[in-house]
Amino acid sequence: MIRALLTMDDFSTRNTPAIVDYLEEKNIPIIMFAWGQNIEQYHDEALYAVKKGIIIGNHSYTHPSFSELTFDEGVKEIEKCESVLHELYKEAGVQRKYRPFRFPYGNKGGENKVLFQRYLAEHGFDKVDDTNIPYYWWKENGLDKDIDTLWTYDFAEYNIRPDSGFTMDDVFKKMQDMNPSSGAALFAPDSYHILLFHSHDETEEMESGYYKRFLDECLAQGIEFVAPKFK
């Protein structure tokens, strides 16, 4: 059996309601990580997702590389996004039960990593339950101790851009790779994943319904999508 928690970065976009409706139709739970500026730009779309019960995590306000920021600058990024999320949930009339966080690009802050982890712990951010992740490198790199939400598999579909030479076929080939250079093999038997997808209108413009095609393949291969749990 292959089990997976689906996460999607860079919420909100024009396409958010369509993605939410597809996930609801397929009964696929998800955490969407929010870029604060995107919520402000696509406010109604974000509101739609919250009202549908989607868990929205903090992905910073402007999506910087945290290793290029001072600790205080990084905290401002987190807190500004928190403020946006607080108002969004308040307007939706929905209780915000969970507050997961994901660093943009998975960049944990370089020399300030320990400070950021301490900040997240002390300010009540929720750690996704990763106790079922079986990969030795997860614990070897201390990811089981970190508060932020990393991933075990990245679809990399954000590389589908004009003149990039990267296509839908490349994503499907990556999905079938049993010996990836980084991360874990998606379809390895008895695996458990935190999957990384992106909510990008640019990808949708090039490949309509891109998320359906990849997630339908996951379902066809027997992946069981699990509801988010927190430690």
Side-chain angles (χ1 to χ4, degrees):
M1 177 183 292
I2 306 171
R3 290 178 295 163
L5 168 61
L6 181 62
T7 68
M8 184 173 281
D9 284 5
D10 302 342
F11 172 93
S12 169
T13 61
R14 290 191 303 272
N15 204 32
T16 290
I19 294 172
V20 169
D21 288 347
Y22 165 81
L23 295 171
E24 186 176 53
E25 175 192 341
K26 297 291 185 176
N27 195 30
I28 299 175
I30 193 170
I31 300 174
M32 291 184 167
F33 286 95
W35 183 349
Q37 282 185 333
N38 283 353
I39 291 179
E40 293 175 341
Q41 184 175 2
Y42 299 106
H43 174 265
D44 290 348
E45 292 84 352
L47 202 61
Y48 182 85
V50 174
K51 288 182 176 180
K52 285 285 190 174
I54 301 293
I55 295 174
I56 311 299
N58 186 320
H59 197 39
S60 82
Y61 184 73
T62 65
H63 204 270
S65 294
F66 269 60
S67 61
E68 298 177 4
L69 305 178
T70 66
F71 174 67
D72 288 342
E73 288 170 340
V75 168
K76 287 179 181 178
E77 280 282 338
I78 297 169
E79 291 184 348
K80 192 167 185 180
C81 187
E82 277 296 288
S83 179
V84 171
L85 287 170
H86 175 78
E87 292 301 319
L88 181 68
Y89 271 83
K90 182 179 178 182
E91 182 178 352
V94 175
Q95 180 186 1
R96 190 175 174 210
K97 296 180 180 179
Y98 304 110
R99 296 166 58 233
F101 176 80
R102 172 171 281 162
F103 286 101
Y105 315 107
N107 181 322
K108 293 172 179 272
E111 63 183 16
N112 290 317
K113 181 194 171 191
V114 172
L115 290 177
F116 282 123
Q117 293 298 328
R118 186 181 303 154
Y119 171 86
L120 294 172
E122 291 177 350
H123 288 79
F125 285 85
D126 293 293
K127 177 175 175 59
V128 169
D129 187 351
D130 59 358
T131 53
N132 290 318
I133 292 177
Y135 315 113
Y136 74 92
W137 48 264
W138 190 262
K139 289 186 177 181
E140 191 174 70
N141 291 292
L143 300 175
D144 60 322
K145 301 293 192 299
D146 289 348
I147 304 300
D148 65 290
T149 308
L150 202 64
W151 55 85
T152 64
Y153 181 84
D154 178 2
F155 285 90
E157 84 300 327
Y158 48 83
N159 289 308
I160 300 173
R161 292 293 183 272
D163 303 319
S164 70
F166 192 87
T167 68
M168 295 283 286
D169 284 343
D170 290 310
V171 179
F172 281 115
K173 288 177 184 176
K174 185 177 188 298
M175 292 169 69
Q176 296 293 339
D177 186 357
M178 297 303 289
N179 293 289
S181 58
S182 64
L186 179 59
F187 296 134
D190 300 319
S191 55
Y192 186 100
H193 288 290
I194 298 176
L195 303 180
L196 172 61
F197 233 108
H198 292 76
S199 172
H200 287 169
D201 289 327
E202 297 89 341
T203 312
E204 178 67 19
E205 288 167 6
M206 290 193 66
E207 295 289 350
S208 179
Y210 69 96
Y211 54 92
K212 297 179 184 180
R213 293 166 65 182
F214 299 136
L215 294 176
D216 281 349
E217 177 65 15
C218 289
L219 291 169
Q221 293 285 344
I223 288 183
E224 176 189 341
F225 288 100
V226 299
K229 294 181 180 179
F230 299 88
K231 289 186 175 180

